[in-house]
Amino acid sequence: MARQQNRLTALKVTKLTKRGLYADGGGLYLQVTPAGVKSWLFRYMEAGKAYGMGLGPTHTVSLAEARQKALEARKLCIDGINPLKAKKQSQMAATLADAKMMTFDQCAEAYIKAHQASWTNAKHRAQWTNTLNTYASPVIGKLPVAEIDTGLVVKCLTPIWESKTETATRVRGRIESVLGWAATSGYRTGENPARWKGHLENLLATISKNSREKHHPSLPWQHVGTFISALRLRKGVSARAVEFAILTACRSGEVRGAKWAEFDLKRKVWTIPAERMKAKREHEVPLSDAALAILDSMPSDTDIVFAGTKGQPLSDMSLTAVIRRMNDNDAPAWVDAEGKGVTVHGFRSSFRMWAAETTNYPRDVAEHALAHQLPDAVERAYQRGSQFTKRTALMADWSVYCGTVPTAAVVKSIRGVA
């Protein structure tokens, strides 16, 4: 039996050049083509049918390696497995695995593409891309999403967890969402390593929401009249948009996107459609005489009320720039209680504090004016109206207050703080 095995030698394999099949034994053959190309072939029978499986060229696979491959194939035959079919299945599995392999960056891109239609806020869409590119991609972006584990997620978050906690919290949630999408899509299996509850909360310090919550710097309500007086000295569409936002207590985006078709000037009502509201509910804003005066001063040759030079809505930075220019000295004159330069959005807080501290209007009236949802579910169930009549009076009083300039002593005090 020994003579039937290992018939060939390495030297003989080198010297054989004539076309044909040269048996080594155990189903292993050296195959030489008419062109002199040499390769290894394993021949076997299954259910009366002959099969031949290539084991590789001689310049790559040595005689010893070919014998080992033939041995492994014979063992498969003993177990009733067709070696050629097993090889094809293995190749198909590898091809399928390659097709399914996605990097984290590819999954993040796919996730954002799948969900961005529901993100009406362009800034929110940009934040998703920017934060993942900045904090996740350098660590895990090019890695197969199936290989991302807890240690890698923590490596992304640790450098910013305490210094930029709010950002880090959002990055963690976004990584969790991307990995969740990858699992549902079949690109990874197992638990989500970015989940917080019962997992990352054991590895990262829990920082309370209150300690990481950042409010928009707001001007103390006592100084709003002085600010408005200074603002009205400034020309330009952006300055009028800032003033209109303050008088209506609306968000910057709502004002910048305002269209003439949304206004009923006879009824003195601005109806903001649900798709432009944060809460996705239509919001009616009563217009004071001062707000109407601003509208009357704006050109109506475009759909957008506060249009830029090309008829497009103003950018968020256009309104911010107005206040920054008003704070063009070394220390800002228009600052909040902590000395931070105020923002357009912060004037909503100024309005809310003014209403709470100087008027007798019910809390829910002021909350409706800000288009806030009442926090208590029971209260919301009974308070279904918009309090429009009372809000009309409230916004008229607010407009009068905004047009009231304090005494010179107060103005000097504000500048003194700066």
Side-chain angles (χ1 to χ4, degrees):
M1 177 68 92
R3 297 176 182 176
Q4 303 299 319
Q5 300 285 344
N6 302 333
R7 300 178 187 177
L8 300 174
T9 64
L11 180 61
K12 189 174 182 180
V13 169
T14 304
K15 290 185 176 182
L16 287 171
T17 58
K18 185 179 179 180
R19 175 187 177 183
L21 291 175
Y22 300 91
D24 181 62
L28 178 63
Y29 290 82
L30 171 66
Q31 181 176 249
V32 183
T33 68
V37 178
K38 304 175 184 179
S39 61
W40 299 108
L41 180 69
F42 176 69
R43 303 181 72 183
Y44 61 99
M45 300 288 293
E46 182 186 63
K49 183 177 179 180
Y51 290 87
M53 182 173 71
L55 301 180
T58 57
H59 60 71
T60 303
V61 180
S62 67
L63 174 59
E65 290 170 337
R67 286 170 176 167
Q68 181 60 36
K69 287 189 174 187
L71 175 61
E72 293 171 358
R74 288 197 299 273
K75 288 181 178 180
L76 290 176
C77 291
I78 292 174
D79 292 336
I81 300 173
N82 188 317
L84 191 58
K85 291 181 180 179
K87 180 180 179 181
K88 289 181 179 180
Q89 289 175 350
S90 178
Q91 291 174 338
M92 288 177 61
T95 301
L96 182 61
D98 288 341
K100 282 189 173 184
M101 195 199 79
M102 290 265 285
T103 66
F104 179 84
D105 279 350
Q106 289 173 324
C107 289
E109 182 180 357
Y111 179 90
I112 292 172
K113 184 177 181 179
H115 290 81
Q116 64 182 355
S118 64
W119 300 336
T120 56
N121 189 324
K123 185 176 180 180
H124 180 64
R125 292 196 295 270
Q127 285 176 338
W128 259 85
T129 301
N130 294 339
T131 55
L132 289 178
N133 285 347
T134 302
Y135 302 110
S137 186
V139 179
I140 61 176
K142 301 299 184 290
L143 297 179
V145 71
E147 304 301 322
I148 295 172
D149 58 16
T150 301
L152 289 170
V153 174
V154 171
K155 189 175 181 179
C156 294
L157 301 176
T158 299
I160 59 172
W161 189 251
E162 294 186 12
S163 60
K164 299 179 180 179
T165 307
E166 187 64 29
T167 299
T169 301
R170 292 176 180 176
V171 171
R172 184 210 61 77
R174 288 164 185 169
I175 292 175
E176 181 180 17
S177 296
V178 172
L179 295 182
W181 178 90
T184 303
S185 301
Y187 298 119
R188 64 173 286 121
T189 58
E191 295 289 339
N192 194 318
R195 70 189 186 280
W196 177 254
K197 193 68 175 176
H199 190 59
L200 289 184
E201 66 176 351
N202 298 321
L203 300 175
L204 298 169
T206 301
I207 300 176
S208 68
K209 185 177 181 180
N210 289 337
S211 66
R212 56 185 168 88
E213 205 170 56
K214 295 182 178 179
H215 299 285
H216 294 274
S218 60
L219 188 69
W221 60 265
Q222 295 90 336
H223 306 326
V224 171
T226 306
F227 178 86
I228 291 289
S229 178
L231 178 63
R232 286 173 176 170
L233 296 177
R234 293 190 167 268
K235 298 180 180 180
V237 177
S238 297
R240 299 290 72 76
V242 172
E243 183 181 354
F244 191 78
I246 295 172
L247 292 173
T248 57
C250 287
R251 297 178 178 87
S252 169
E254 295 159 6
V255 172
R256 289 184 289 108
K259 298 180 180 180
W260 285 111
E262 297 171 358
F263 291 88
D264 186 335
L265 300 181
K266 290 184 178 179
R267 292 180 54 234
K268 300 181 180 181
V269 178
W270 172 26
T271 304
I272 309 175
E275 60 268 21
R276 292 210 306 108
M277 292 298 299
K278 183 177 181 180
K280 300 304 176 188
R281 294 193 305 272
E282 183 181 271
H283 181 52
E284 287 190 329
V285 182
L287 300 171
S288 64
D289 290 340
L292 289 169
I294 293 176
L295 294 176
D296 187 56
S297 69
M298 301 306 300
S300 57
D301 55 347
T302 60
D303 292 336
I304 302 295
V305 177
F306 301 99
T309 54
K310 297 182 180 180
Q312 299 298 315
L314 297 169
S315 69
D316 190 30
M317 287 305 300
S318 296
L319 274 62
T320 300
V322 172
I323 300 179
R324 287 182 178 176
R325 285 193 293 269
M326 294 173 71
N327 288 333
D328 56 2
N329 50 9
D330 292 338
W334 312 110
V335 297
D336 66 1
E338 297 179 358
K340 297 178 181 178
V342 299
T343 65
V344 177
H345 193 91
F347 281 98
R348 285 166 54 85
S349 296
S350 304
F351 163 77
R352 187 64 185 87
M353 294 305 297
W354 167 83
E357 296 186 17
T358 69
T359 76
N360 293 320
Y361 289 99
R363 176 179 64 90
D364 56 295
V365 174
E367 290 298 299
H368 276 301
L370 294 169
H372 284 167
Q373 178 174 285
L374 296 176
D376 184 78
V378 176
E379 188 177 6
R380 289 199 302 273
Y382 286 97
Q383 186 59 270
R384 299 181 185 179
S386 67
Q387 304 282 322
F388 187 81
T389 302
K390 292 180 179 179
R391 284 197 290 119
T392 300
L394 172 63
M395 301 315 294
D397 288 347
W398 170 243
S399 175
V400 170
Y401 177 77
C402 288
T404 303
V405 181
T407 64
V410 175
V411 174
K412 183 177 181 180
S413 175
I414 298 172
R415 298 291 175 176
V417 171

